[in-house]
Amino acid sequence: MLAAMDLVGQRWILRLLWELEPGPLGFLELRRRVGNCSSSVLSERLQQLQTAWIIEKDANAQYELTPKGVELGVALEPLWNWSERWSKLGK
């Protein structure tokens, strides 16, 4: 459990999972969407997610969630829902 928490706790990991949830994206599109993340850090995070079998590259060199990644997204959904509610408290 701690290894999974260490992985998702790293900067940009949750954002990458969020961006990949709707479907595959290429490196440049991911880079555009995450904004402040450098190319080297983005490459490192994508490699970490691939090593953990959370994402994979498809035939078009786009990154997509694996079944394990989809399952992680389902597990994180309550956190995302909570953050949506929390962010609206100040408005």
Side-chain angles (χ1 to χ4, degrees):
M1 179 175 132
L2 290 178
M5 297 302 285
D6 286 343
L7 177 64
V8 298
Q10 291 185 62
R11 189 164 189 195
W12 303 113
I13 294 288
L14 289 174
R15 178 65 183 269
L16 291 169
L17 295 172
W18 175 264
E19 296 296 345
L20 290 170
E21 192 276 328
L25 294 170
F27 184 88
L28 293 177
E29 181 61 18
L30 281 168
R31 174 86 167 87
R32 185 186 70 74
R33 289 184 183 205
V34 297
N36 295 342
C37 184
S38 70
S39 293
S40 61
V41 170
L42 178 58
S43 292
E44 182 181 323
R45 295 300 182 260
L46 292 169
Q47 183 59 49
Q48 290 172 309
L49 289 168
Q50 287 179 88
T51 299
W53 296 96
I54 304 295
I55 66 170
E56 62 188 0
K57 265 190 184 178
D58 66 15
N60 298 316
Q62 293 193 320
Y63 296 93
E64 64 183 346
L65 296 175
T66 63
K68 187 176 177 182
V70 171
E71 187 177 355
L72 176 58
V74 170
L76 290 170
E77 193 171 330
L79 176 62
W80 289 330
N81 291 336
W82 174 84
S83 68
E84 278 291 312
R85 288 190 308 275
W86 179 81
S87 69
K88 292 177 183 174
L89 288 177
K91 294 180 181 177

